[in-house]
Amino acid sequence: MLHIFKNEKKISIIFFIILTIDILVKLNLSPFPYRYISKPLVIILLSLYYYFNTNERRHKKKLWITLALFCFLVGDMLILKHTNIIFLSISMFFFAMGKAFLSLRLSHRSDFNIMRLIPFSMILFTYTFFIVSFLYNSLKGFFIPALISFFVSLLLIEFAFLRKDVVNKVSYLYVLLGTVFYVLCESMIAIKTFKMDLPMQDVLIMAVYGIAMYLIVFGIVRENKKGGGISFF
């Protein structure tokens, strides 16, 4: 069994099979009990892949990833009852904490070009301003929590961006693309929850979320590996 988790291609195939099953369950079966079984498997599989393949030397880095994945797992379970304001609020908290722990993991002490960061930050700020403005009248009591959540997302994607030239190219692109997908997924969830339905939302949200987490975890595992081509399967 262990050799499966060591094989990137095999575990990738298994992951996308599980992700597809979860989407099909979401489309065709009731949340309880079926999605309470299928949905957590996505994060659990990624957690096992990270555990068996990481070669992190610093204990804190392992801790940040472990805590992040745990928070995403709890958030995934709670958001299944997003129509309940209490469960929705707690799920937002856990997702925000998951992003915060990921940001801590992606941070580094190397110098970076501030001039390169400014235009990127302006693009992120413009996007966030647009989303918040679009949702403003619908957020009501969730305005501050949503604002905080989007702010943490900005930090996450900026830390991913600042890894350029610090880690290998494959890891950098995986994680950066993964954070972009995550922010896109988060935006779709916010629009669906607070504003209006989206075309194919049930498929798109889970697919984008799954791909985002896959890219982030696999990218972090590849961080200390030299060379290697970019392959998503």
Side-chain angles (χ1 to χ4, degrees), residues 69-117:
L69 291 173
F70 173 76
C71 287
F72 284 123
L73 178 62
V74 176
D76 281 346
M77 301 300 290
L78 292 171
I79 205 170
L80 288 175
K81 297 191 69 173
H82 65 274
T83 53
N84 183 305
I85 190 171
I86 296 176
F87 280 86
L88 177 60
S89 301
I90 300 175
S91 70
M92 289 178 65
F93 170 77
F94 273 97
F95 282 126
M97 290 302 298
K99 290 181 292 184
F101 288 130
L102 266 184
S103 297
L104 288 171
R105 169 57 185 81
L106 298 179
S107 63
H108 58 82
R109 299 178 181 178
S110 302
D111 294 332
F112 59 89
N113 187 343
I114 189 67
M115 296 305 295
R116 185 168 64 89
L117 181 62

Side-chain angles (χ1 to χ4, degrees), residues 19 23 26 35 39 79 181-182 184-193 196 198-212:
L19 181 61
I23 293 173
K26 184 177 183 179
R35 287 214 74 208
K39 190 173 177 63
I79 205 170
F181 271 71
Y182 186 90
L184 178 60
C185 170
E186 186 177 53
S187 301
M188 289 191 291
I189 292 175
I191 293 172
K192 171 199 170 185
T193 304
M196 63 184 187
L198 297 170
M200 298 179 64
Q201 60 187 17
D202 290 335
V203 174
L204 285 176
I205 289 175
M206 196 57 210
V208 174
Y209 174 73
I211 293 171

Side-chain angles (χ1 to χ4, degrees), residues 3 24 83 93 111 152 179 190 216:
H3 73 278
L24 292 174
T83 53
F93 170 77
D111 294 332
V152 179
T179 57
I216 291 171

Side-chain angles (χ1 to χ4, degrees), residues 2-185:
L2 178 59
H3 73 278
I4 295 178
F5 289 101
K6 289 287 187 178
N7 189 306
E8 183 175 307
K9 289 186 177 180
K10 288 182 179 179
I11 207 67
S12 295
I13 292 172
I14 294 173
F15 173 82
F16 283 103
I17 289 174
I18 289 175
L19 181 61
T20 302
I21 290 173
D22 182 54
I23 293 173
L24 292 174
V25 169
K26 184 177 183 179
L27 293 174
N28 298 288
L29 298 173
S30 61
F32 184 84
Y34 304 105
R35 287 214 74 208
Y36 284 90
I37 299 172
S38 65
K39 190 173 177 63
L41 291 178
V42 173
I43 296 298
I44 290 173
L45 184 65
L46 290 176
S47 300
L48 291 172
Y49 173 75
Y50 173 78
Y51 176 79
F52 287 115
N53 289 275
T54 183
N55 54 0
E56 303 272 25
R57 295 180 179 178
R58 296 179 59 187
H59 177 70
K60 279 189 176 181
K61 288 188 174 184
K62 292 181 181 179
L63 178 63
W64 298 143
I65 290 295
T66 301
L67 290 174
L69 291 173
F70 173 76
C71 287
F72 284 123
L73 178 62
V74 176
D76 281 346
M77 301 300 290
L78 292 171
I79 205 170
L80 288 175
K81 297 191 69 173
H82 65 274
T83 53
N84 183 305
I85 190 171
I86 296 176
F87 280 86
L88 177 60
S89 301
I90 300 175
S91 70
M92 289 178 65
F93 170 77
F94 273 97
F95 282 126
M97 290 302 298
K99 290 181 292 184
F101 288 130
L102 266 184
S103 297
L104 288 171
R105 169 57 185 81
L106 298 179
S107 63
H108 58 82
R109 299 178 181 178
S110 302
D111 294 332
F112 59 89
N113 187 343
I114 189 67
M115 296 305 295
R116 185 168 64 89
L117 181 62
I118 291 176
F120 184 73
S121 298
M122 290 179 64
I123 294 172
L124 293 178
F125 177 80
T126 302
Y127 175 80
T128 304
F129 179 80
F130 171 78
I131 293 293
V132 173
S133 298
F134 180 68
L135 297 172
Y136 179 76
N137 293 328
S138 303
L139 289 172
K140 298 179 181 179
F142 280 94
F143 176 73
I144 297 300
L147 198 62
I148 294 173
S149 181
F150 279 120
F151 174 74
V152 179
S153 296
L154 288 182
L155 290 179
L156 175 62
I157 200 169
E158 284 189 342
F159 278 123
F161 180 74
L162 290 173
R163 294 169 74 246
K164 184 176 176 62
D165 300 325
V166 175
V167 299
N168 63 69
K169 186 176 181 180
V170 173
S171 175
Y172 173 73
L173 291 177
Y174 265 53
V175 174
L176 180 60
L177 188 58
T179 57
V180 170
F181 271 71
Y182 186 90
V183 171
L184 178 60
C185 170

